[in-house]
Amino acid sequence: MIQCKTSKAISGMGHSMKRKEDIRFIQGRGHYVDDIKLDGMLYMDITRSPYAYAKIKNIDISEAMKVPGVVAVITGKDLEKYNLHWMPTIMSDTQMVLPTDTVMYQAQEVAAVIATSRYAARDGREAVKVEYEPMQALVDPFKAMDPSSPVLRTDKPGKTDNHIWHWEAGDKAKTEKVFSEAAVVVKEQMHIPRIHVSSIETCGCVADYDKINNHLTMYMTTQAPHVLRTVFALVAGHVGLTEEKIRVVSPDIGGGFGGKVPVYPGYVIAIAVSFLVGKPVKWIEDRSENLQADSFARDYHITAEMAGTKEGKILATRFKVLADHGYTDAAANPSKYPAGLFSIATGSYDYGTAFVEADAVYTNKPPGGVAYRCSFRVTEAVHAIERMTDRYALEIGKDPAQLRMDNFIKKEDFPWHSPTGWIYDSGDYHAGLQKAMDVVGYADLRKEQVEKRAKGELMGIGISTFTEIVGAGPSKDFDILGIKMFDSAEIRVHPTGKAIARFGTKSQGQGHETTYAQIIAEELGIPAENIQVEEGDTDTAPYGLGTYASRSTPTAGAAAAVAARKLRDKARKIAAYLLEVSEDDLEWEPGKFFVKGAPEKVKTIQELVFAAYTNFPQGMEAGFEATHYYDPPNLTFPSGAYICVVDIDKETGGIHVRRFVAIDDCGHIINPMIVQGQVHGGLTQGIAPAMYEELIYDEAGNILNGTLMDYLVPTAVESPKWETGHVVTPSPHHPIGAKGVGESPTVGSPPAIANAIIDALSPFGITHLDIPITPFKVWKALKEKGAYG
Ligand code: CDP
């Protein structure tokens, strides 16, 4: 039970206040980018490449131009005249807006058709005739790394291979020594598959260029409006579209999950067309385009090793990664961390040394590496460490829960310095796992498993006790394109005591309009109901880096608290003036200052705000407004203890998730109902890669499951009943002791499921299967091990 310091009327932290934004969402009154209709608006559709790698011999637009309603067809050559045919990616790589001579992946943009209706644009798109000369695609990242393979990025002068970058963390020599001397070493080769965000709303925009005023308003589905404004200014500054002439507006967003952080060519083409034609241009992806061409997530090939004693003490880990980035590195990582925060891969365990290295490679696949509900590669890291922990337990015949208990970092050892350089802020891993074990009935389940095994039945129990890392980040280490990763809040309280607060982040369904209001309500005592939260308009909001990787609570949430505290300090000064006492004689209770020992001498926050406009001390600045740009001193380190129970049908390989218990620690909770919703959604996005989702390409680079008929996004039907709970270890450096939560369940659940399945199959000598673990994979593995005689 969470103790709240404020009344329900104020609804500060800890109240399960109903989401303010739901009033419009559940009545179908949300305002999304496709709802925007402007006078004279044109529609854009995009002709895409059927080949993964081909030379463009010719583009014939004559038939397309005859389609009624088509007003223009734009190719790379048209953009080249204005030097708009290339753009930077967020990882400082380069990406074609439209190609002039070569296509690099299937579904790449080749030409844009502009018409007076969406239907005409689609008909025009079909009528564009492109003559290609197909080339042998490079799809396998290991082959692409081979020095004898052809170089894909011939646009980069002097490039002699397909290697993008090498990155490492930890102590290589020390780790090698521990491995060479260890009694037990376990090793697995694993692939974390390429998956897609598949948010309900696809990407899109309306680019509205006003020729008279040389001003662009860009309505778009972006999680990071300010950063994109800066990128657009970098791309188009040379044609006069400098940053003060650009306004980015991100209206309601139907799910982002990292997929709406990158700059997609469609956005830039729409801007270019609006700029050239002088009319608003709308571009909305269809579902297949979204699935086939947008930035992907994951695609990490990991060689994972763990060294330990025979008794079960972990001594070291070593992880070697090959990261398939497709044709360009369009990941959304902080600049200094090309492999994101993968080096959190030492997990929740106390051991002395680790070495982590990653190499990235170009292939003929769509670009990406987006942080799909995973704080920059943490899902990959957690999968590796949690799978290897179970693998080690299996090797030495020790219960995986006990092995974890014996190796956890102790709660008194925080702040914990990890061997790869992170400083974990707080946690109580023993309490989390114990709670999960109590809820699931761990000891009884193990007894049941013994009985079932005796009868030849397959039942598995899988554990994942993970540490997350969210809240990028301290500006000394974290930037995107050089812009430091702070975030911002601006609070304006009107004379009548009602407020508007604006943020540099952007909700995509997480409930910021409610939870940010609750943070301010907690600090100022103004009812959350009376605090209007606004995000997503670069003309009004203070500059911020946006919402992804669970950074909003650790950064903008903190900014809100600090800005509110600045206002409380001002309110204290006004109260001292009005009550004619010294500031030190005042006491604060949510919503009012009163004189110590004389509670009848009181001024409410509403009275104090009114006085800030009507009766303030001489020399004080009028008004009641504050802005704060928060630079976090460290990241926050949420954690979780998840236990999954599966039953497997031996004959078919069918997997039934019987129980799933998730105990999370996200520090102080702002809104328990919203957190539970975040955890439910995240867990469902965790069973997705664990059991269902994977984008599959053939040797020619054709995507084999590019529609939702073949790419299974789990629904309520596939989801088990989630059993959730919490332990609370507040972040000591965060103003309200909160840590992020949105990603934890997606990060922590895949290995719990994989570990449960492998636990069920382990009597047959099966030690690892790559996710997604499908019934066919299970059946095949059992067959190979002779389970069917
Ligand atoms: O950056 P993003 O908003 O996606 O992730 P987050 O910071 O993990 O927050 C997701 C939602 O959960 C937001 O509405 C937060 O305010 C809420 N939350 C909370 O109520 N308590 C926490 N300790 C953490 C997040």
Side-chain angles (χ1 to χ4, degrees):
M1 190 62 194
I2 293 170
Q3 297 293 325
C4 302
K5 281 197 242 153
T6 57
S7 63
K8 193 157 185 281
I10 293 176
S11 273
M13 293 212 13
H15 288 278
S16 282
M17 181 185 182
K18 282 197 178 160
R19 300 195 336 161
K20 294 166 149 214
E21 45 270 78
D22 284 347
I23 294 168
R24 67 175 188 281
F25 290 153
I26 60 176
Q27 295 185 36
R29 302 298 291 270
H31 191 64
Y32 299 88
V33 75
D34 202 18
D35 294 322
I36 293 167
K37 292 182 178 65
L38 302 178
D39 281 350
M41 190 169 76
L42 298 171
Y43 296 79
M44 181 172 98
D45 208 332
I46 294 176
T47 303
R48 293 174 183 275
S49 169
Y51 297 105
Y53 194 29
K55 286 257 173 257
I56 297 173
K57 306 280 285 179
N58 185 41
I59 301 178
D60 179 357
I61 64 167
S62 55
E63 289 303 312
M65 287 301 293
K66 287 184 202 154
V67 172
V70 169
V71 296
V73 179
I74 307 285
T75 66
K77 298 254 189 239
D78 298 317
L79 295 184
E80 193 178 17
K81 289 178 208 150
Y82 301 90
N83 197 21
L84 288 170
H85 55 312
W86 284 89
M87 62 182 192
T89 72
I90 289 176
M91 286 309 287
S92 301
D93 203 335
T94 50
Q95 180 171 1
M96 292 176 213
V97 178
L98 284 174
T100 49
D101 51 20
T102 312
V103 285
M104 301 294 289
Y105 60 93
Q106 191 182 52
Q108 184 179 340
E109 299 80 358
V110 173
V113 178
I114 321 301
T116 49
S117 75
R118 185 162 188 178
Y119 302 101
R122 177 56 56 102
D123 288 347
R125 170 185 117 162
E126 303 307 322
V128 174
K129 298 276 171 289
V130 186
E131 206 184 314
Y132 296 97
E133 185 184 306
M135 296 187 279
Q136 180 58 51
L138 256 180
V139 178
D140 179 342
F142 291 94
K143 249 192 220 161
M145 279 293 276
D146 191 324
S148 65
S149 285
V151 179
L152 294 179
R153 293 296 302 266
T154 49
D155 57 287
K156 288 176 181 276
K159 186 104 185 92
T160 55
D161 58 25
N162 297 312
H163 188 234
I164 311 176
W165 44 256
H166 175 83
W167 171 87
E168 51 188 59
D171 188 329
K172 187 175 185 182
K174 192 173 163 197
T175 305
E176 272 171 11
K177 186 166 185 303
V178 173
F179 265 89
S180 67
E181 292 166 1
V184 183
V185 172
V186 284
K187 182 174 182 177
E188 293 290 352
Q189 183 65 37
M190 50 185 81
H191 181 220
I192 315 293
R194 172 180 277 244
I195 58 169
H196 194 264
V197 164
S198 306
S199 48
I200 289 179
E201 183 202 32
T202 60
C203 292
C205 66
V206 177
D208 183 16
Y209 178 67
D210 168 1
K211 258 193 172 144
I212 307 296
N213 295 304
N214 182 32
H215 184 274
L216 171 76
T217 305
M218 183 69 173
Y219 303 93
M220 62 185 298
T221 50
T222 177
Q223 298 172 230
H226 284 96
V227 178
L228 285 233
R229 185 186 69 187
T230 304
V231 173
F232 293 146
L234 291 174
V235 174
H238 66 282
V239 293
L241 267 180
T242 45
E243 202 162 356
E244 84 285 9
K245 298 287 185 190
I246 303 172
R247 174 183 177 200
V248 173
V249 180
S250 194
D252 285 330
I253 296 188
F257 310 114
K260 288 173 181 161
V261 177
V263 184
Y264 292 115
Y267 298 141
V268 179
I269 306 168
I271 292 175
V273 174
S274 183
F275 182 76
L276 295 175
V277 179
K279 289 195 171 173
V281 175
K282 180 185 274 191
W283 167 65
I284 305 286
E285 277 176 337
D286 70 20
R287 179 55 60 190
S288 299
E289 290 177 299
N290 179 259
L291 185 58
Q292 293 170 17
D294 281 2
S295 287
F296 67 91
R298 325 276 195 252
D299 220 348
Y300 260 28
H301 297 264
I302 307 173
T303 309
E305 295 173 276
M306 183 177 274
T309 66
K310 282 188 196 137
E311 294 73 32
K313 171 82 195 106
I314 302 172
L315 298 174
T317 48
R318 193 159 52 187
F319 300 110
K320 188 173 168 53
V321 174
L322 183 60
D324 183 346
H325 273 266
Y327 127 80
T328 183
D329 185 359
N333 287 319
S335 310
K336 200 173 147 186
Y337 298 93
L341 310 184
F342 182 79
S343 56
I344 191 72
T346 59
S348 309
Y349 312 108
D350 171 3
Y351 57 94
T353 186
F355 181 63
V356 174
E357 62 181 321
D359 288 278
V361 63
Y362 292 123
T363 59
N364 288 115
K365 292 184 198 139
V370 299
Y372 172 19
R373 206 162 172 166
C374 112
S375 41
F376 311 125
R377 302 297 190 181
V378 184
T379 304
E380 291 90 326
V382 165
H383 201 77
I385 184 79
E386 290 305 307
R387 272 278 43 244
M388 292 317 289
T389 305
D390 259 40
R391 178 69 188 84
Y392 172 43
L394 182 67
E395 188 75 12
I396 61 171
K398 190 160 179 165
D399 179 275
Q402 192 56 50
L403 185 116
R404 284 174 166 83
M405 286 289 194
D406 292 349
N407 283 280
F408 277 149
I409 300 158
K410 296 184 191 64
K411 71 172 180 202
E412 54 274 19
D413 290 341
F414 289 92
W416 164 261
H417 291 251
S418 90
T420 48
W422 302 111
I423 304 173
Y424 296 9
D425 56 353
S426 65
D428 187 348
Y429 303 144
H430 292 89
L433 179 55
Q434 193 55 57
K435 192 164 182 180
M437 288 168 75
D438 293 346
V439 173
V440 84
Y442 188 76
D444 288 345
L445 285 169
R446 283 288 174 207
K447 279 188 210 139
E448 184 191 340
Q449 187 183 41
V450 171
E451 288 159 17
K452 288 224 154 116
R453 278 188 181 163
K455 290 190 271 177
E457 292 175 25
L458 305 181
M459 169 192 166
I461 306 158
I463 302 172
S464 163
T465 45
F466 61 96
T467 293
E468 250 270 53
I469 170 170
V470 298
S475 65
K476 67 180 167 40
D477 287 327
F478 288 86
D479 71 85
I480 283 186
L481 289 173
I483 304 163
K484 301 293 186 184
M485 292 188 77
F486 54 81
D487 230 294
S488 59
E490 179 210 81
I491 307 171
R492 295 181 178 185
V493 190
H494 312 310
T496 52
K498 322 286 185 212
I500 182 160
R502 294 189 169 111
F503 293 84
T505 49
K506 174 65 200 164
S507 189
Q508 312 117 46
Q510 295 95 318
H512 290 178
E513 286 170 48
T514 308
T515 48
Y516 286 158
Q518 287 185 263
I519 295 171
I520 298 167
E522 175 82 10
E523 298 295 335
L524 283 181
I526 294 175
E529 206 51 58
N530 295 150
I531 301 164
Q532 179 79 19
V533 168
E534 202 181 275
E535 297 175 293
D537 185 338
T538 57
D539 266 12
T540 56
Y543 202 104
L545 274 286
T547 290
Y548 38 88
S550 271
R551 66 184 296 278
S552 302
T553 303
T555 57
V562 177
R565 284 174 197 177
K566 288 183 189 172
L567 290 176
R568 202 166 70 202
D569 288 345
K570 181 165 190 177
R572 180 187 285 273
K573 286 188 173 41
I574 300 173
Y577 168 71
L578 295 179
L579 293 166
E580 297 179 345
V581 293
S582 124
E583 284 181 49
D584 296 339
D585 291 335
L586 289 172
E587 238 172 85
W588 168 256
E589 208 174 79
K592 57 189 169 200
F593 275 109
F594 59 92
V595 178
K596 280 181 196 162
E600 71 286 357
K601 291 189 175 171
V602 62
K603 289 286 170 195
T604 65
I605 187 74
Q606 286 77 12
E607 289 170 319
L608 296 168
V609 171
F610 192 66
Y613 292 89
T614 58
N615 181 19
F616 46 90
Q618 272 285 305
M620 177 184 270
E621 219 179 313
F624 208 72
E625 299 183 8
T627 304
H628 192 75
Y629 288 80
Y630 185 77
D631 181 4
N634 189 6
L635 296 120
T636 68
F637 293 77
S639 61
Y642 292 178
I643 302 184
C644 173
V645 184
V646 297
D647 297 299
I648 295 179
D649 178 351
K650 193 172 155 196
E651 298 312 312
T652 64
I655 305 156
H656 170 63
V657 178
R658 192 204 308 176
R659 300 273 306 274
F660 198 106
V661 173
I663 305 299
D664 276 285
D665 180 357
C666 58
H668 283 149
I669 293 174
I670 304 157
N671 184 317
M673 182 193 68
I674 287 181
V675 166
Q676 196 184 29
Q678 292 285 303
V679 173
H680 280 206
L683 291 172
T684 306
Q685 288 182 317
I687 59 166
M691 294 174 66
Y692 304 109
E693 293 184 14
E694 176 181 20
L695 287 166
I696 305 166
Y697 295 83
D698 69 11
E699 280 184 3
N702 297 306
I703 183 166
L704 299 183
N705 55 347
T707 76
L708 292 187
M709 291 296 285
D710 307 301
Y711 183 85
L712 178 56
V713 176
T715 65
V717 175
E718 286 79 20
S719 304
K721 181 179 184 304
W722 306 116
E723 301 171 62
T724 60
H726 295 278
V727 295
V728 175
T729 60
S731 172
H733 63 74
H734 189 274
I736 55 170
K739 305 173 183 180
V741 73
E743 291 164 359
S744 286
T746 310
V747 162
S749 55
I753 296 164
N755 284 347
I757 296 169
I758 301 302
D759 185 49
L761 304 179
S762 61
F764 295 90
I766 295 167
T767 60
H768 178 74
L769 290 174
D770 275 338
I771 55 170
I773 307 182
T774 58
F776 178 66
K777 260 190 206 171
V778 169
W779 177 84
K780 197 161 158 263
L782 284 170
K783 192 166 183 339
E784 278 164 15
K785 294 289 181 183
Y788 304 116

